[in-house]
Amino acid sequence: MATISGGSNRLGWNNALNSARWSVQCGAVLGVLLTSACSMPNTAKPPVLGPDEGQTQTRMPPVAPMTAPTAPTPLATQLTPLPGPAPYAAPQDTAATHNVTLGTGANITVIGSSGNDVITVGAPTQSVIAGTGKSTVNVPAYLASAKVVGRSPAKTTLHIITPGTAALSDEDSNITVKLTPGTNNLSLGQGANITAVGTPGTDAITVGAPTQSVIAGSGTDTVNASSDLAGVKVVGHGQAVTTLVITTGGNATLNNADSNLTVVLNGGAGGPSFHDRPTALHPHAWRKARPAKHWHVAAKASPVRHGAHGLACPPTSTPAPGLK
């Protein structure tokens, strides 16, 4: 084995070591540069990892395609319109209770309210026009002719606060007439939509228009109607106490709503008359001074009414001979 000695060999080893050291240093520097270059992203083409490199590939989520831009919503539809001004509302009547006495002044008219009104009439020229509420008009029998215009028979009542004879105004309408128990003789006039209510007393009620009606009380009630007004509604309290008297002859048709009453035909062609009464109850003597048209032949004994000829009725006597 040769041994290297001397200065030339030492110089050679030094040169060799220096070359190796430089190579190592240059390789380290070159490795750093290569590593830096590989770690920098490639903007042109991203690196693709192979399947054998043992790494999981991370992919970016797909990008949604762009759509055409939509038109912007008009500003006018985004604004909420301001509310308009509230409509004017007229003040309404307060549903209060009024109790008014009219005194005895003349030509006074009262207009009712939407509440409960109680109005007392004190003169025949006073009048009441009912409001939309319930109204009660109080009148004594002798002032029943005061004008009362109701809202409806269910809402407006004409209360005759004293018994006796009472006659309503022909201008009355849309009312219910309430009587005071006692003896009453009521004429409803010719007003429309009037209902009379009887009492436990004795009531005679005369109707005057086809839209009137009578509801009898528990007392003795007589309803008088002409044949053309026999169709008024009469609801009786019982046949023994409620009577509908048809006061004139002619055609008469009762209302289908009638009930519990007795109908009496008075003054018709088949009704009783003075000439049908027995002779003993109404005697007439033959008078010579009577004109021929007033003479009665012996075969005709039918009497005539007292005063029909303007003559007194003397006692019965035998007809004079020769009279015809």
Side-chain angles (χ1 to χ4, degrees):
M1 180 174 175
T3 301
I4 300 175
S5 63
S8 59
N9 290 336
R10 188 178 293 115
L11 177 63
W13 280 104
N14 291 335
N15 290 336
L17 291 174
N18 290 332
S19 297
R21 188 181 296 111
W22 182 87
S23 299
V24 172
Q25 292 177 353
C26 288
V29 172
L30 181 61
V32 172
L33 293 176
L34 291 175
T35 304
S36 300
C38 292
S39 62
M40 292 180 65
N42 188 351
T43 58
K45 183 178 181 181
V48 179
L49 299 176
D52 56 345
E53 297 183 24
Q55 297 183 2
T56 304
Q57 183 178 1
T58 304
R59 297 182 179 181
M60 301 293 291
V63 179
M66 295 184 64
T67 58
T70 57
T73 305
L75 182 60
T77 60
Q78 302 179 20
L79 299 177
T80 302
L82 295 175
Y88 172 75
Q92 298 181 354
D93 294 335
T94 303
T97 298
H98 302 85
N99 193 337
V100 180
T101 301
L102 300 185
T104 58
N107 302 319
I108 297 176
T109 298
V110 178
I111 299 176
S113 71
S114 60
N116 297 324
D117 303 327
V118 179
I119 302 168
T120 301
V121 173
T125 58
Q126 296 174 357
S127 61
V128 177
I129 299 176
T132 57
K134 289 188 176 182
S135 300
T136 299
V137 182
N138 296 323
V139 296
Y142 71 97
L143 293 179
S145 60
K147 176 182 175 181
V148 179
V149 177
R151 181 66 55 173
S152 70
K155 287 190 173 184
T156 307
T157 300
L158 174 60
H159 186 193
I160 300 178
I161 57 178
T162 60
T165 299
L168 302 188
S169 170
D170 291 337
E171 298 180 279
D172 288 357
S173 63
N174 303 317
I175 59 175
T176 293
V177 182
K178 180 181 178 181
L179 296 170
T180 296
T183 300
N184 295 286
N185 190 347
L186 173 65
S187 176
L188 299 183
Q190 298 180 0
N193 301 322
I194 296 176
T195 298
V197 180
T199 71
T202 302
D203 307 320
I205 302 172
T206 301
V207 299
T211 57
Q212 297 174 358
S213 61
V214 177
I215 300 176
S218 58
T220 302
D221 286 356
T222 300
V223 181
N224 299 311
S226 58
S227 59
D228 59 325
L229 295 178
V232 297
K233 177 181 176 181
V234 180
V235 178
H237 199 268
Q239 287 182 300
V241 293
T242 307
T243 302
L244 171 61
V245 178
I246 300 180
T247 58
T248 61
N251 298 326
T253 302
L254 270 61
N255 195 301
N256 291 332
D258 288 357
S259 62
N260 303 318
L261 52 84
T262 297
V263 180
V264 175
L265 306 180
N266 184 21
S273 65
F274 288 105
H275 288 274
D276 293 329
R277 297 180 184 276
T279 305
L281 299 179
H282 193 61
H284 278 269
W286 302 102
R287 297 182 59 87
K288 297 180 180 180
R290 288 179 179 176
K293 63 181 179 179
H294 291 292
W295 286 5
H296 295 268
V297 295
K300 297 180 180 180
S302 60
V304 295
R305 186 176 56 179
H306 281 284
H309 304 289
L311 301 173
C313 295
T316 302
S317 60
T318 302
L323 292 179
K324 296 182 181 181

